Amino acid sequence: MLVIGGNRYFGKRLIARLLGAGDRVTVLNRGSAPPPPGAEHLVADRDDEAALETALAHRTFDVVFDQVCYTPRQAAIARRVFAHRTRRYVMTSTVEVYEYEDSPLPVSETAIDPAHIDIDLELPWGDREFLNAHYGEGKRQAEAVLAARPADFPYVSVRVAHVLGGADDFTGRIAHYADRMRNGEAVAVPVRNQPATYINVDEIADFLFWVGGQDFTGPVNAASHGPLTTHDIVDAVAENRPAIYQTVDVGEVSPFSFRRAYAMDNSRAERLGFAFSQTKDWLTDAVAETLKNTTRGVN
């Protein structure tokens, strides 16, 4: 098994599950962090095709888990490099591929068919500011590159819901709410504040591990049952203490506040055999775990 990236958050949990199952695991990154004990380490820049080819010389893998494919350029390199090196390529994608959807019903994978997405390799994908501003588009086009020749390159793109939980949550989004409430500051939300889908950090690691052992291909949504609102998350942070909300018509809002509805339909994965949890069963514990090792908890 090869994991590209995976040094933090649910990526490192995936590696732990693979090692725990007795798999031979290789981790490839730019050398920013060593893998856990038991995993082999390869150092290469995945944007440098020649360096990637050199690092992978004479190696093949049952499954490649690509945790850090953000652009069509990266996907094009991966497709060329791994076309004859793996029987299965699992790309971590995102719910943000549905960023232009605004549906009262959960959206299925067919709402965004990567076979019909235009690919533009000439956009400034190497510019960090551009990439951050076009995160969903980068993932859509990356999926499109993989879908262009499915017979030659069996792939799965796992469209991951917003991830919650873990003391190692590096995003700071839960801490944002704790800070606001501790300081008596308002939580900014849009006038039309929509729910969204979420998944627990351990559950997405379980799901990726499970996907690696299956044989289906194409996009698949990964989300726990039960969309959450901003109020649900704030209540979990504040333990039902009163919070102050400020509606914003135009401008920046708090994390996990959305002007559009794009909950994901997880029925394809469940038909294939994976049973997702209910958000209500883990939300409180997930938030507490995230805040446990910080000084930002609500007093």
Side-chain angles (χ1 to χ4, degrees):
M1 305 289 181
L2 175 69
V3 180
I4 305 174
N7 293 326
R8 58 182 181 175
Y9 212 30
F10 59 86
K12 69 180 185 182
R13 288 167 171 81
L14 168 63
I15 293 170
R17 282 155 175 75
L18 293 169
L19 290 171
D23 292 316
R24 295 178 58 187
V25 180
T26 301
V27 176
L28 185 145
N29 59 35
R30 291 178 296 182
S32 55
E40 184 182 1
H41 191 195
L42 295 179
V43 177
D45 184 345
R46 58 101 29 85
D47 293 317
D48 185 335
E49 186 168 351
L52 196 56
E53 286 277 8
T54 299
L56 296 170
H58 310 300
R59 294 173 182 264
T60 59
F61 304 94
D62 289 335
V63 184
V64 172
F65 296 92
D66 195 342
Q67 293 286 95
V68 289
C69 184
Y70 300 113
T71 74
R73 291 181 190 169
Q74 292 175 330
I77 290 173
R79 196 179 74 183
R80 289 192 295 267
V81 170
F82 292 108
H84 304 293
R85 286 192 170 97
T86 186
R87 65 170 182 81
R88 188 164 180 76
Y89 174 93
V90 180
M91 170 193 162
T92 297
S93 189
T94 173
V95 63
E96 295 298 332
V97 300
Y98 302 117
E99 63 183 325
Y100 300 125
E101 303 298 316
D102 192 355
S103 170
L105 298 175
V107 294
S108 70
E109 293 85 355
T110 57
I112 300 293
D113 183 352
H116 296 97
I117 297 295
D118 292 333
I119 300 167
D120 189 346
L121 298 175
E122 301 308 314
L123 290 173
W125 295 114
D127 181 277
R128 179 59 57 183
E129 185 175 343
F130 177 86
L131 181 56
N132 289 340
H134 297 84
Y135 176 67
E137 182 62 24
K139 289 288 192 179
R140 272 193 300 275
Q141 291 196 28
E143 288 192 29
V145 169
L146 301 180
R149 296 175 61 182
D152 295 341
F153 194 73
Y155 83 98
V156 178
S157 55
V158 178
R159 295 172 176 173
V160 182
H162 305 287
V163 182
L164 291 176
D168 56 338
D169 179 356
F170 62 91
T171 66
R173 293 174 294 191
I174 294 297
H176 165 88
Y177 287 116
D179 286 344
R180 305 295 289 183
M181 283 174 275
R182 186 189 65 232
N183 297 327
E185 298 173 319
V187 173
V189 296
V191 174
R192 182 175 175 254
N193 191 19
Q194 299 294 326
T197 44
Y198 293 82
I199 193 165
N200 181 268
V201 63
D202 290 310
E203 186 167 29
I204 186 55
D206 289 339
F207 184 73
L208 288 167
F209 175 78
W210 175 80
V211 168
Q214 306 303 305
D215 58 8
F216 67 87
T217 58
V220 62
N221 292 339
S224 303
H225 294 288
L228 299 173
T229 66
T230 307
H231 290 70
D232 293 327
I233 297 172
V234 168
D235 285 348
V237 172
E239 297 179 344
N240 294 311
R241 300 174 193 180
I244 304 169
Y245 292 92
Q246 177 183 3
T247 56
V248 177
D249 190 19
V250 178
E252 187 174 354
V253 295
S254 294
F256 304 133
S257 298
F258 303 99
R259 291 185 169 90
R260 63 195 180 279
Y262 61 127
M264 291 196 297
D265 179 349
N266 62 14
S267 61
R268 183 186 187 215
E270 292 219 314
R271 288 194 304 270
L272 289 165
F274 189 89
F276 288 103
S277 68
Q278 299 282 341
T279 56
K280 64 181 178 60
D281 292 336
W282 54 255
L283 175 60
T284 300
D285 288 343
V287 168
E289 184 184 26
T290 298
L291 295 176
K292 179 173 59 180
N293 294 332
T294 75
T295 58
R296 296 181 174 183
V298 179
N299 297 319

